[in-house]
Amino acid sequence: MLKAKAIVMVFLCGHLMVQAQTDNGMLRLDEFRNARKRQIIQIPEVNGFQTLKCDFHMHTVFSDGHVWPAVRVQEAWQEGLDVIAITDHVEYTPHSEDVKVNHNRPYELVKDAADETNIVLIKGTEITRNTPPGHFNAIFTGDLSGYIEDRETNKKDKVAVMKAAEQNAFIFWNHPGWQVNNIEGSYQWIDFVDELTEENVLHGIEVINGFGLHKKALDWCVDKNLTVLGTSDIHNLVAHDYNLGDHVHRSMTLVFARERTAQSVREALEAGRTVAWASKYLAGKEEHVRNLFNACVETGPRFLLKNNRAYYEIKNNSDLYFELELQSGDGTKQITLFPGSSQIINAVDGEEALEYKVVTAFIRSNKNLVVNIPLN
Amino acid sequence: MLKAKAIVMVFLCGHLMVQAQTDNGMLRLDEFRNARKRQIIQIPEVNGFQTLKCDFHMHTVFSDGHVWPAVRVQEAWQEGLDVIAITDHVEYTPHSEDVKVNHNRPYELVKDAADETNIVLIKGTEITRNTPPGHFNAIFTGDLSGYIEDRETNKKDKVAVMKAAEQNAFIFWNHPGWQVNNIEGSYQWIDFVDELTEENVLHGIEVINGFGLHKKALDWCVDKNLTVLGTSDIHNLVAHDYNLGDHVHRSMTLVFARERTAQSVREALEAGRTVAWASKYLAGKEEHVRNLFNACVETGPRFLLKNNRAYYEIKNNSDLYFELELQSGDGTKQITLFPGSSQIINAVDGEEALEYKVVTAFIRSNKNLVVNIPLN
Amino acid sequence: MLKAKAIVMVFLCGHLMVQAQTDNGMLRLDEFRNARKRQIIQIPEVNGFQTLKCDFHMHTVFSDGHVWPAVRVQEAWQEGLDVIAITDHVEYTPHSEDVKVNHNRPYELVKDAADETNIVLIKGTEITRNTPPGHFNAIFTGDLSGYIEDRETNKKDKVAVMKAAEQNAFIFWNHPGWQVNNIEGSYQWIDFVDELTEENVLHGIEVINGFGLHKKALDWCVDKNLTVLGTSDIHNLVAHDYNLGDHVHRSMTLVFARERTAQSVREALEAGRTVAWASKYLAGKEEHVRNLFNACVETGPRFLLKNNRAYYEIKNNSDLYFELELQSGDGTKQITLFPGSSQIINAVDGEEALEYKVVTAFIRSNKNLVVNIPLN
Amino acid sequence: MLKAKAIVMVFLCGHLMVQAQTDNGMLRLDEFRNARKRQIIQIPEVNGFQTLKCDFHMHTVFSDGHVWPAVRVQEAWQEGLDVIAITDHVEYTPHSEDVKVNHNRPYELVKDAADETNIVLIKGTEITRNTPPGHFNAIFTGDLSGYIEDRETNKKDKVAVMKAAEQNAFIFWNHPGWQVNNIEGSYQWIDFVDELTEENVLHGIEVINGFGLHKKALDWCVDKNLTVLGTSDIHNLVAHDYNLGDHVHRSMTLVFARERTAQSVREALEAGRTVAWASKYLAGKEEHVRNLFNACVETGPRFLLKNNRAYYEIKNNSDLYFELELQSGDGTKQITLFPGSSQIINAVDGEEALEYKVVTAFIRSNKNLVVNIPLN
C-alpha cells in the first residue's frame, strides 16, 4: 500500500472498531490495532504555571537516528509531550551516503504534522565537538545550513557554538558525564564551558540524558545559575529503549510556562523554571522541585483517631513517582507514592507535621528534597 | 506463618524494597510483591459535588461469596472505591454448615479495617425472594438478626422488605433482568414492585449488575423517579471476574455527594444523583450523565486553521471512557476518548459547535446522551 | 551521543542492571530500559518441518516507510521472526528529495545486522502498478537497480513483473482487496493476474495484509494452486500499529520449512507449505491449517468420570489462538484456546470423539477448519 | 444472584463473547470479563520426569487465611499448578467465633472442584509450635480431627508432629528463618529438628517460603539429605500478594515426577527430586538444579563467524528466568535469559565451551550453579 500520509491521518481519528467486519469478502481486523490516542501526563499547575512536558534532544535519520522525523512527532503526541526539538548532529551524519545532508530538513519535514497535532516544535541542532568539551544543543536557532562548515575545522573550537549564539539560540551542554571513565578530563567543569558561561552563551546543562543522571551537573546548575535540563537523546524508537508504562516515561524536562507556546517555553527556560525528569527520579533547583512536589501531593484531613494514632490519606495527583523516608516526627516511616494513587499514613496524636526526605528527588548531587507534611 | 492482621498492616506501608536483601542467610525477595497502593479513579468534581465511587452489593463467605469480609475492604481500597456495603443474602447461606449464620457479622468484622483505610462502610443485606419478584438490597439498615425469620416463610412475600423499610433502609431492586429467558414473568414491571414504589418503600433499581446492563430498568428509573444503581454483585475475587486495567473497573455507582460520608451518600441516593458505571458504559438520568460528561471532557481553543479546517484538542480528564459519533455539523466523524487521554478533532472553519451522540452513555433504553461540543 | 552502531550492539547483551548505580557522580538508571531479548513465538514442529515466522512485505525510508532499515531487523529479532524481506516500492519514493533512490540499499544496509542476529534476510521489492491490477511483491530477486526504469512507463504494464520473473523471483499479488470500495474493478480475478498465473510467473497471493483478511483471495489460492501469504506491509513502527502482547502479533506467514535457511524457505513457498496468520486468525489450505492445529493442540486422557460425564484437559502448546464451536457429539459447546493455556472439557461417557469448527481458522472464504478431537 | 456453584462452572467454559449482545433489553458486557483459562507454566521434561508445579502450603478461612477453600483451587488452576495442599493451622484458628473448627473440612470442601479441574489435591495441615522450633507442615496425612488436642498442651512439644508421623505423613520444617531477628535462638539447627531428622520423622525444609529465600536451610537440606521445598504460604489472594506476570509466579516447588498423581509426587518428594522456585530464583540440590537448567536452555549451532568471533543463539524454552555471568572462556560476559526467549552470544573462534555462573540459581547458601555451555 501507499502510506506516505498515514501518520498525520491517524491523529485525526481515535475511533477503534472493535468488531471484525465483513465487506465484500474482506475481513477487517481492526481489533488488533493499537489505539490512537494522546496519553495525558497528569501534572497539576505549579504556582499558576502550566507544566509543559518537553524533550529538546532527539535524533532522526538525518544524523545517526533510526527514524524518519515524522516518527518523533508521532511518539511525542502519543506519549503526551507538549514541546519537542529535533536536534540532529551538525558534524556527524553517518547516513550521508544515502540521506542528503541538510540540517534544516527535519524541522521542515515535520512542521505541518506538529502543527496539526498541537505539538510545539522548536528548531535546533546538536553541535558535536570532541570530548572534552563534548556536545552542545542549540535550540531556538535560525537557519542551520551554515553550521556545517565547522565540520572540517578543529573539533574542539567554539565556532559553531558562537554561530548559535549569534542566532540568539538557547544553548546547553549535553551529558557532561558521558564516557566519564573512558576519556581523560571528561566530567569536569572545564575552561571551555566556563568561558561560555561567563560570556552568557551557555544557558543550561543536561542533568538527565536518557538513562544517565549526571549528579555533579546539578551542582553546577545550582552554583552557576544555569538551567537544569532533562532529555531523551533518543536515537532508536522510544518504545524500544524505554520499558514504557507504569512509572516509566522517556526522560524529559518539565517546564513551568505561562502558555503552551514556543515563546513561553523560551521565557521559562531563561528564567530557569524547570525540573529534569527520568521516570522515578526528579532533579532540579530546590524551589522548583519543591513547588512541583507541593502541586502534586496532597494530604487530607485526619479521618481517624485510634489508639492515640491519627490517620491521614496522602494523595499523589500526578503521574510522577515519589518515595519518602521519615526524617522527623512520630509517623509512618516510608511512603511510596505511585502515580495517581494514595496511601494511608498515621502519626501520633497531636503531631502537627512530619518531615520526609524525598529520596527520588534531587536538589544537589548529595542532597534530596526535604518536605514538610502538615497534619490537621 | 501467622498473618491474621496482615491485611490492615499492608495498608500502612506502601514502600517496596526493589532489591533483594541479605540478612543472616535470608534473602528477601520483595521485588516480586504486588505494590500496595490505592489507585485513584480520576473523576473531576461534578457541579460542585464529589464523585464517590460506590459498590452497594457484594458477598462474602457469610452467604455465597468466596472471601472473608476483610478482602472486600482490601479490594475496595486498592481499586479506589470510596463507599461499600457488604450485602450477604438473608435467606441463602450455603456455607452454614461451617460458617455460623449471623447477618451482622460481615459489617462487624470489617468496621475497623474500613475505618483505618478511609472507606465508608454501610450496613446492608440482600433480601432474596424467589424470582419474580427476585432480590432486593437494603442498605443503611439496622440490626439484621431479625431478618432471618423470613427464611421459612413464603419466598415471595414482602415481610423482609418491610422490615428493612421499618429500619429506614434505602431499598433497591436487584438485577431485574436476571434469568430473563428462564423464568416466566421475569423482567416485567410487576405488582410487587409497583406497590413498593407507591408506598415509597422502593427507592432504586440496579440498572447495572456486574456484566449485565438492564436497559429496561433505566426506563423504569426515569419514568418512576427511582434512583439508578450500578453494582458488582461480586461473589468471587474482583480480579478473577474482571479483566482489570485500561478501561475495565468493577461495575459500580457514581454518587455525586457533598462529602465523603455515609450521610452525604444517603442524601445523594435519595436525591437520585447517581450514574451507573460498567467499564466502557454509563447509564443514568440525562441530567446526571450530562453533568458528568461535561465535568470530564474539555475542548481546547482552536490551535490551527488550515485548508479551511479548524483544529481542536479534546481532552478526557477522567478515567471514564466515551465513544462519540457525529450527529450534526461538519467535523470529525468519530471520537474515542480513552481514559486520561486526548484526541485532535477538526471542523470546517466557522462551525460554532458539533453535536455528538455518546454511544457509550445511555439515558434511556433506546437513547444515548447527545452532547454539544462548542468550538472557539 | 553518537549511536550509529547501537542497534547491533544491544543484541549482544541481554543483561539488565536492575539497580541504579553510582559512578563518579553519575547515576545509571538502567532499571527503566526495555529488556533486550528475542521473544520466542512458540509453535511446535509441524509434520517434521520447522515453523518459520516470516514477513515478506515491509517498508523503510527508502520508499514510504518511517524507519531506517536497521529498525526492521531489530523489530524482527525482538518479536521472534525468523525470516524477513524489506520490499520498498520501486515506483513510489516520496522521500527522494532527501533519500537517494537506490533499491538495493535497504538490503545492503542491514545484511550484517541480520547475519549477526540470526535473521534470514531475503532481497525483495514491491512493484507498484496502478490498481487494478495493483501491487506485486517480488522476493528472492537479484539486482534491483534496473527496476526503476518502469517508473515512467505505463503504470499498468507487466514490464517490472517480468523483470522479476527473469531474475527467478518468487512473486505474489499484494492485498487484492485493497480499496475494494473505491476503485472499480478491484478485488476481481482479472486477466492481468490470470495471465501471470498461466505463465507461472505469479506464485502466491497475500490473503492477509496487515489488518485485512482477503477472504476471496484464499479461494483463488486454493483453486489455482497459489501459495497463501500473510504479511505486515508495515510502514510505521510495528509497536505503533499493533497492540502487541497477549495474542496480538504482527501479521505474517508461517512457513513449514526443512531448515532455517533462505533456500528452505524458497522450497517451502514453492511447495505451498504456508499458513497466513493475523493474531487470532489463520488462513490457509486445509492440509496445512489442519497439520498446524494438530501440532499445537493436544487432548489428554480422561481424568475423571462423574455423573456420566468424562473430563479431559485440552492444551494449546503454541502461541496461536483457537476458538472452537461444537459441531457434533455431546460435549463442551465452545472452547477458547488462548496461547500457551489449557481448558477442561467434558463429554458424555462413551463418546469417542467430538467434532469442532475452528471459527478462527479459515480454509476457504466461507469455510472453517473442522477438527476431530479424539477422546480416550 | 445466587452463585454457589460458580467457581466450578467457569472452569468448563473458556469461551469469551467479545461483543456486547442485546437480549430483551439486557446488554451483556462479557467483553470486560477476565478470560477463564489455565495458563501453562512451560517447563520441559527433566531427565524423563514431568515437572509438576506444586504448592504444599496455603491457608483459608478455616485458619487465618482470607478465602474460602474453593478459591485456592481456582487460583491453582488459573496459574498452572498441578498439585496443591491446603494446610490450615491446627492450633491457630482466629476465625473460630464464626467458622467451626474442623481441620478436615478444607479438603472435603474442595475435593470435587480439584477433581474436576485435574488438580492433584493432597491432604495436609500446619502444625504451629512456638518458635523455636516453629512450624511444620504435614502432608499426605489422614484424619486431622485428633490433631486439635495439642492446642492446650505445651506449644513446644512434639506430640502433634508425632501424630502426623504415625499417619505416615511427609513432614517438613517451615520457614526456618522466620523472625530471625526477633526471636532468640531462631534460624538455628536445633535439637528439636535434629532429633526428628535422626528419627526419620522430618523429611524436608522450606528453603523458599513466599518472599523469603532461607539460604542456610539449603545447606541443611544438602548436608542432611532433606528434601528442598518452596511454598507460597499464601493467606491473602495470590494476585494481591504477587505482582503476577512476566517472570513473577507464586513461590512453589518443582517436583520431578513419573506421573501427575499423588503417589508419584510422594515418591519424588521422598527421593528428593525437587527444586524450590521463587520467580527469578531457584534453589535446590546441585543435581536437580543442573538437570532443570539443561532441560530448559539450549544453545544452537554456530550461525556466523565474523572478525574471528563465532555467534550462537541461546534459547530458554521455559518460563523460568536465568541470569548468567561468564566464569571462564572468551565470550559474552552476561546473559539474561528471560522466560520463553533467546539471546545472541559470541565467543572467540575455536572456543569449545563457555563456563557461566547462574547467579539466580543456588545450590548452597553461598554457591551458585555453574554451567558449561558447549559451542559447536
Side-chain angles (χ1 to χ4, degrees), chain A residues 294 299-300 312 345 351-355 371-376:
Chain A
N294 288 338
T299 308
Y312 307 86
I345 61 172
E351 196 75 272
E352 291 185 357
L354 295 172
E355 197 177 77
V371 295
N372 193 65
I373 304 289
L375 306 176
N376 49 59

Side-chain angles (χ1 to χ4, degrees), chain C residues 8-16 34-40 77-78 116-118 260, chain D residues 297-301 303 311-317 321-324 332 334-346 356 373:
Chain C
V8 174
M9 285 159 57
V10 300
F11 290 142
L12 307 179
C13 171
H15 191 77
L16 268 190
N34 205 357
R36 293 295 170 183
K37 64 181 177 202
R38 173 171 165 79
Q39 197 61 46
I40 299 170
W77 186 78
Q78 291 185 1
E116 289 168 23
T117 54
N118 209 8
R260 188 178 173 175
Chain D
V297 178
E298 172 194 2
T299 308
F303 64 82
Y311 287 68
Y312 306 86
E313 184 163 353
I314 181 168
K315 283 192 196 183
N316 176 9
N317 290 313
Y321 170 102
F322 302 100
E323 222 169 285
L324 283 68
T332 297
Q334 292 180 310
I335 310 171
T336 301
L337 291 169
F338 296 90
S341 74
S342 70
Q343 300 286 357
I344 305 293
I345 61 172
N346 67 62
Y356 285 93
I373 304 289

Side-chain angles (χ1 to χ4, degrees), chain D residues 160-171:
Chain D
V161 175
M162 295 317 291
K163 193 159 298 183
E166 280 163 32
Q167 291 182 343
N168 192 29
F170 183 89
I171 300 174

Side-chain angles (χ1 to χ4, degrees), chain A residues 125-192:
Chain A
T125 193
E126 183 167 20
I127 297 165
T128 315
R129 311 282 73 191
N130 286 348
T131 301
H135 307 179
F136 296 85
N137 258 23
I139 57 176
F140 295 97
T141 60
D143 177 14
L144 294 167
S145 58
Y147 283 54
I148 204 168
E149 309 291 338
D150 300 321
R151 217 175 177 187
E152 305 305 325
T153 67
N154 180 342
K155 289 290 210 87
K156 292 199 172 238
D157 71 18
K158 289 195 228 171
V159 177
V161 176
M162 295 317 292
K163 192 159 297 184
E166 278 164 33
Q167 290 182 343
N168 192 30
F170 183 89
I171 301 173
F172 54 92
W173 192 17
N174 294 344
H175 47 73
W178 185 49
Q179 302 216 338
V180 56
N181 295 323
N182 303 329
I183 300 178
E184 200 181 348
S186 72
Y187 210 6
Q188 302 298 331
W189 183 255
I190 52 177
D191 288 350
F192 190 98

